């Protein structure tokens, strides 16, 4: 297969992640949109890093703008789709660690994504 013609997996938005993305500054939305598109094609965005402490296959996009830090967490472990779990402005001023309430929300939404994926696979007869 031509490396330039990668299949594009659909984005699936969990919880309020789509609405939250729309509330971010235009420059941040553009950066996250580009990063998510790369993830959809199986590439690793330059502004992404693995999110530790949640599970394998969870990636976090990072973007600084106007003195604030923004993040978008998504999961790439499913071949059929990229699930966007959480999009937010980092409020904690202590270090670069993701605040615990955001980690807990990501964990809950990951469970929702796993359930959605399993249901879609069951309906498609692929389980």
């Amino acid at each position: 297969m031509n490396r330039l013609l990668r299949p594009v997996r659909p984005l699936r938005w969990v919880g309020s992640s789509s609405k939250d993305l729309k509330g971010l500054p235009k420059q941040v939305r553009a950066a996250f949109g580009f990063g998510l598109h790369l993830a959809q094609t199986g590439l690793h965005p330059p502004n992404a890093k693995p999110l530790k402490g949640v599970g394998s296959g969870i990636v976090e996009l990072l973007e600084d703008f106007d003195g604030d830090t923004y993040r978008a967490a998504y999961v790439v472990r499913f071949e059929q789709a990229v699930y966007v779990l959480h999009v937010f402005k980092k409020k904690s001023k202590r270090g670069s660690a993701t605040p615990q309430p955001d980690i807990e929300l990501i964990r809950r939404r990951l469970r929702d994504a796993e359930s959605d994926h399993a249901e879609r696979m069951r309906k498609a007869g692929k389980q």
Side-chain angles (χ1 to χ4, degrees):
M1 175 191 256
N2 185 337
R3 294 188 73 198
L4 297 176
L5 299 176
R6 295 175 181 261
V8 177
R9 295 183 286 172
L11 285 178
R12 298 224 166 90
W13 302 90
V14 183
S16 63
S17 57
S18 177
K19 178 182 157 215
D20 297 337
L21 178 68
K22 292 173 186 172
L24 299 183
K26 183 178 179 179
Q27 293 87 333
V28 176
R29 288 193 320 265
F32 284 172
F34 179 69
L36 289 170
H37 178 72
L38 290 177
Q40 286 178 274
T41 62
L43 298 173
H44 186 76
N47 61 337
K49 66 174 187 145
L51 180 60
K52 294 178 177 27
V54 180
S56 67
I58 310 299
V59 181
E60 190 172 48
L61 293 173
L62 309 162
E63 192 65 32
D64 292 326
F65 175 74
D66 201 24
D68 292 314
T69 299
Y70 298 87
R71 297 188 177 192
Y74 63 94
V75 61
V76 294
R77 71 171 75 149
F78 308 116
E79 287 184 33
Q80 294 76 14
V82 173
Y83 284 83
V84 182
L85 304 174
H86 187 33
V87 178
F88 61 104
K89 177 178 165 182
K90 184 176 174 285
K91 294 178 179 80
S92 172
K93 299 299 179 192
R94 291 188 358 215
S96 63
T98 303
Q100 196 59 37
D102 291 305
I103 292 290
E104 292 304 320
L105 180 60
I106 291 166
R107 281 190 178 121
R108 284 193 306 273
R109 290 184 176 176
L110 175 59
R111 286 190 294 270
D112 293 343
E114 290 168 336
S115 295
D116 179 78
H117 176 72
E119 180 65 18
R120 287 173 187 270
M121 292 295 97
R122 187 188 65 73
K123 285 181 179 178
K126 294 183 181 181
Q127 197 167 19

